[in-house]
Amino acid sequence: MSDHTHTEHDDPAIRRQATPARHDAAHTSHGTAPMKAAAPEEHAHHTDAAPSTPAASVVPDARHAGHQTHGAHVDHTGHELVFRNRFWICLLLTVPVLLYSHMLQMWFGFTPPQFPGSDWIGAGFAIVIFVVGGVPFLRMAGPEIRNRKPGMMVLISLAISVAFVYSLVMLFIDPASGFFWEMALLIDVMLLGHWLEMRSVRQAAGALNQLARLLPDTAEQIDDAGNVQTVAAAALRIGDLVLVRPGASVPADGQVEEGESAVNEAMITGESSPVSKRAGDAVIAGTINGDGSLRVRVTATGDETALAGIMRLVDEAQRSKSATQLLADRAAGWLFYIALAVAAATAVAWTIVDGFNWQVVERVVTVLVIACPHALGLAVPLVVAISTSLAASNGILVRNRHALESARLVDIIVFDKTGTLTTGAQGVVGMATAGDISDRDALALAAAAEADSEHMVARAIRQAATDCELTLPAVSEFEALKGRGVRVNRNGRSVYVGGPRLLEMLSATPDSALAQFAATAGERGESVVYLVEGGKVAAAFAVADTVRPESYAAVRTLRAMGKEVAMLTGDSDAVAKSVAAALGIDRYYAQVLPDQKDAKIAELQAGGHSVAMVGDGVNDAPALTRADVGIAIGGGTDVAIESAGIILVKSNPIDVARTIQLSFAAYRKMVQNLWWAAGYNIVALPLAAGVLAPIGIELSPAVGAALMAVSTLVVAINAQTLRRADLTG
């Protein structure tokens, strides 16, 4: 049970000194997180075959790594722009290719302007399209070939290369038989699909940077003569004495030598209430000092601080997380081998029947070209683009497509308590009175006494009075009693508000009913504040981190979906037990430190569970990254957002259920689209191979192109129906 501690924050000696510099990045909106501009290089496709870049190690001076860029976190913005620009360029260049295509002229009965060299216009523009839009896919096919895991990139490369080479050869034999226009459209559609994919997976780098930025750039060092000088935080050494002013960040791990204050450690330990610190107590780098002034002896710097340890955990968790291979890539891999087998069988069979001729070559080429349908290239990217847009309109920001795809598979959702299931702010959760004073009068008087205090508990009492629309009585002579509470004068009588230490000072004893109320509140981990008037204890208020109203519905909904709900917290067992009981959560873990949170997630995963972690603090970052699906509450710290694949912008726990519903809906659409794309190949490949040629049914390149268009249209329309998904939660 925490004492209601007030500190003097109007000390003239303190106000005369300059406020130390603080790193603004620790308090910026996540919407303005810095991003490194990516080089306009080709993007290796996201398959298991693609080599991953190891995360940058946390160096001893990692406290100020916020000014560095870690190569492990790729910014997809540059790749998105590359594919967007290539798509528009190639689309523009495709127009003359289509206009001068003999096949399209025959279909639509038109003749474009003719002039010397006009017969070469289609071929010339098609060659440029191949270089601008096709060569990047050839480069991206490299990793798939080297790792012997052919996927979409190899299939695309095969189709456009065969079409390109065959069309070049046919220029000198029969120009009307080339595939230039089909190749151009195929490249356009694949560029569009990849652009949509890059846009949906764009992910800003910076989890480690955001962690480092919790620390100030400078510190106020006290020398042996007692003089205070501003130095770089990186220059601090073990044994140095530093001054931590009210509201400033602690620059290094240390031990308090002088002073008394309440320090906000929520971003490191998860403790929802400010922790009282006095001589002999330890403080952690990156935490925020309260109203008092502290002199701290440095005990750890750089790589040895608790914050650096958390950074290492995030780094390790990111390294250990393998990429999820897209269903479309697996389908493309199968289709690659099927296409080769069908092409080989076509060549052998028709050579035996009719002998080798250009018709056999045309059939083989047709098989290889139509084996990569436009629909397959759009089947997944279209659904991803629509699902991420739909998620955003529902307050769910998808930063990592794999997180949304995997959400349907989780069987246990682990919530952080403070700031996630609870508001993260103190509130009055109960009260009891003695004598003739009513609850409303007691709360109004306590709020009046606390009117001039900035303490978190004082704000909770005032807010409770405001919520009840109470009129506060007039009081005067406000006095802060350091470490004990406050005193005011009301009609010539002293009124006190404070914790147990106030009662010790006044030698006041609550009656049995108030004592029982305080004992029960203490068992639940709630702080108790007393109102003393005329020397008698008139009322007691229980103050605690309040549960979000939405949390009750969120837990019920998730359990109804067959998901298990668990809770992690750095708070005491009493607090955790109370919140878990209120919400109906059976499994909870209390007094869990940051490294233990990460270990708990790993432990659940080792037990065969697919785990989603929902949190909002820096201490949650390793666990968010380690989990199969990391979900950050949008009102949380920047680092939690940087470490998560999904962000709940509205900070509403019920959106976790909506995320899972959207994951199921998007997956169904992906599978349906892939089946539509596969259906095209099931019909088109045998026809292209000439299986029904003996009865006069053959698939010409023109008909194949028409089937491509129909298949693509069906996939596009089906993807749009995802917008009607029910995400009521």
Side-chain angles (χ1 to χ4, degrees):
M1 184 167 60
S2 305
D3 289 346
H4 178 36
T5 305
H6 290 274
T7 57
E8 299 180 22
H9 40 273
D10 288 319
D11 187 341
I14 294 176
R15 290 193 175 276
R16 283 194 298 268
Q17 302 179 53
T19 302
R22 293 174 60 193
H23 206 304
D24 291 340
H27 307 281
T28 56
S29 165
H30 63 271
T32 57
M35 296 170 62
K36 178 185 176 183
E41 298 172 356
E42 307 308 336
H43 174 65
H45 198 63
H46 288 213
T47 66
D48 289 341
S52 59
T53 304
S57 301
V58 178
V59 295
D61 213 8
R63 302 179 303 163
H64 299 283
H67 304 292
Q68 302 171 3
T69 305
H70 297 273
H73 312 289
V74 179
D75 172 18
H76 291 275
T77 306
H79 301 303
E80 178 188 342
L81 293 176
V82 167
F83 282 99
R84 184 198 69 181
N85 295 340
R86 290 179 186 272
F87 166 72
W88 287 116
I89 292 172
C90 290
L91 184 63
L92 183 63
L93 296 175
T94 299
V95 174
V97 176
L98 295 177
L99 290 177
Y100 284 89
S101 166
H102 296 284
M103 188 68 67
L104 292 183
Q105 292 174 30
M106 180 182 67
W107 282 359
F108 297 103
F110 72 93
T111 301
Q114 299 294 316
F115 48 86
S118 60
D119 290 341
W120 293 84
I121 287 180
F125 279 93
I127 291 172
V128 177
I129 292 172
F130 182 82
V131 173
V132 174
V135 170
F137 290 106
L138 301 184
R139 293 175 181 170
M140 289 186 290
E144 295 182 354
I145 295 173
R146 287 193 296 271
N147 289 280
R148 299 177 183 176
K149 290 185 177 180
M152 181 65 77
M153 295 303 101
V154 170
L155 193 55
I156 294 172
S157 299
L158 176 66
I160 63 178
S161 297
V162 169
F164 180 69
V165 173
Y166 176 77
S167 299
L168 282 180
V169 173
M170 294 306 293
L171 269 178
F172 304 97
I173 301 174
D174 182 10
S177 300
F179 289 118
F180 277 132
W181 71 273
E182 292 95 333
M183 180 205 72
L185 286 180
L186 181 58
I187 290 175
D188 291 344
V189 172
M190 293 308 165
L191 285 172
L192 174 61
H194 218 66
W195 171 25
L196 292 175
E197 185 180 355
M198 288 298 98
R199 186 174 65 178
S200 68
V201 305
R202 183 195 313 148
Q203 184 173 350
L208 298 181
N209 295 349
Q210 293 295 334
L211 277 169
R213 288 179 181 183
L214 287 174
L215 286 166
D217 289 327
T218 60
E220 293 195 273
Q221 184 181 23
I222 303 174
D223 61 22
D224 295 338
N227 299 316
V228 179
Q229 59 180 343
T230 300
V231 300
L236 291 177
R237 297 292 179 264
I238 295 176
D240 286 349
L241 185 65
V242 296
L243 172 65
V244 184
R245 299 180 189 275
S249 299
V250 178
D253 289 1
Q255 186 177 57
V256 177
E257 287 204 351
E258 184 182 341
E260 186 173 335
S261 184
V263 177
N264 184 356
E265 297 183 342
M267 69 288 292
I268 302 294
T269 66
E271 175 62 50
S272 54
S273 302
V275 180
S276 178
K277 300 291 183 181
R278 53 179 61 89
D281 291 338
V283 291
I284 304 172
T287 55
I288 309 298
N289 188 22
D291 298 327
S293 179
L294 299 175
R295 282 169 169 75
V296 176
R297 185 71 66 181
V298 176
T299 58
T301 62
D303 204 34
E304 301 303 318
T305 62
L307 187 59
I310 296 177
M311 291 173 68
R312 282 192 298 273
L313 286 173
V314 174
D315 182 45
E316 292 167 4
Q318 287 175 329
R319 291 192 194 203
S320 68
K321 195 167 187 175
S322 61
T324 303
Q325 189 176 29
L326 289 174
L327 187 58
D329 290 320
R330 294 198 296 271
W334 302 330
L335 187 54
F336 170 76
Y337 290 113
I338 292 173
L340 289 182
V342 173
T346 300
V348 172
W350 283 106
T351 298
I352 293 174
V353 173
D354 287 341
F356 184 80
N357 53 48
W358 280 110
Q359 188 177 19
V360 173
V361 175
E362 183 179 22
R363 282 184 175 137
V364 171
V365 170
T366 302
V367 167
L368 294 176
V369 171
I370 70 171
C372 183
H374 301 60
L376 185 59
L378 288 176
V380 172
L382 272 178
V383 174
V384 169
I386 293 172
S387 62
T388 51
S389 174
L390 182 61
S393 65
N394 283 273
I396 302 167
L397 178 60
V398 179
R399 298 183 63 250
N400 184 337
R401 69 167 184 261
H402 299 310
L404 181 59
E405 291 171 10
S406 302
R408 66 185 177 85
L409 301 174
V410 300
D411 53 34
I412 181 168
I413 296 93
V414 181
F415 285 90
D416 172 58
K417 180 188 77 68
T418 305
T420 304
L421 291 174
T422 65
T423 62
Q426 298 291 298
V428 176
V429 295
M431 65 177 296
T433 58
D436 297 332
I437 191 170
S438 68
D439 287 359
R440 291 177 64 85
D441 289 342
L443 181 57
L445 182 55
E450 295 279 24
D452 290 343
S453 173
E454 289 301 319
H455 195 277
M456 182 180 289
V457 174
R459 290 195 293 270
I461 292 175
R462 292 199 304 271
Q463 185 60 49
T466 300
D467 293 342
C468 293
E469 301 180 347
L470 302 180
T471 301
L472 307 187
V475 297
S476 60
E477 301 176 14
F478 173 84
E479 179 185 0
L481 306 174
K482 192 169 185 177
R484 291 179 172 81
V486 300
R487 185 195 70 79
V488 295
N489 185 291
R490 184 197 182 200
N491 299 330
R493 300 176 67 183
S494 292
V495 176
Y496 298 86
V497 179
R501 294 180 66 191
L502 174 68
L503 300 188
E504 294 175 6
M505 183 188 78
L506 299 176
S507 299
T509 303
D511 64 18
S512 58
L514 292 182
Q516 180 59 45
F517 172 82
T520 302
E523 291 174 358
R524 294 195 296 263
E526 299 165 355
S527 300
V528 178
V529 181
Y530 299 94
L531 171 68
V532 181
E533 184 179 17
K536 295 183 179 180
V537 182
F541 306 92
V543 179
D545 186 10
T546 54
V547 176
R548 291 179 186 271
E550 306 89 349
S551 296
Y552 298 96
V555 173
R556 285 197 305 270
T557 302
L558 289 169
R559 294 183 68 172
M561 295 171 68
K563 309 296 184 181
E564 183 180 357
V565 179
M567 183 179 73
L568 283 175
T569 178
D571 274 342
S572 65
D573 185 76
V575 173
K577 183 177 181 180
S578 174
V579 173
L583 292 173
I585 296 175
D586 297 325
R587 187 194 299 225
Y588 68 88
Y589 306 94
Q591 296 178 311
V592 182
L593 296 177
D595 58 331
Q596 295 171 331
K597 285 189 176 185
D598 179 59
K600 289 294 182 184
I601 298 299
E603 179 182 318
L604 290 170
Q605 290 171 326
H609 290 286
S610 179
V611 184
M613 172 68 191
V614 188
D616 79 322
V618 173
N619 59 301
D620 303 322
L624 284 169
T625 312
R626 177 77 66 183
D628 297 281
V629 179
I631 304 175
I633 292 291
T637 60
D638 286 350
V639 67
I641 292 170
E642 293 292 338
S643 302
I646 296 173
I647 302 161
L648 307 183
V649 179
K650 300 175 184 176
S651 301
N652 189 346
I654 196 65
D655 285 340
V656 175
R658 293 192 177 101
T659 299
I660 295 174
Q661 290 172 335
L662 179 58
S663 178
F664 274 111
Y667 177 76
R668 283 194 297 269
K669 289 302 175 186
M670 287 183 187
V671 172
Q672 290 168 6
N673 276 358
L674 289 174
W675 271 112
W676 275 112
Y680 163 85
N681 284 97
I682 291 173
V683 173
L685 282 179
L687 292 179
V691 172
L692 299 182
I695 60 174
I697 300 177
E698 289 191 82
L699 180 65
S700 67
V703 176
L707 289 176
M708 280 185 183
V710 172
S711 180
T712 302
L713 183 62
V714 170
V715 164
I717 294 174
N718 187 54
Q720 292 297 327
T721 62
L722 178 62
R723 298 186 186 277
R724 300 200 299 266
D726 181 17
L727 303 179
T728 55

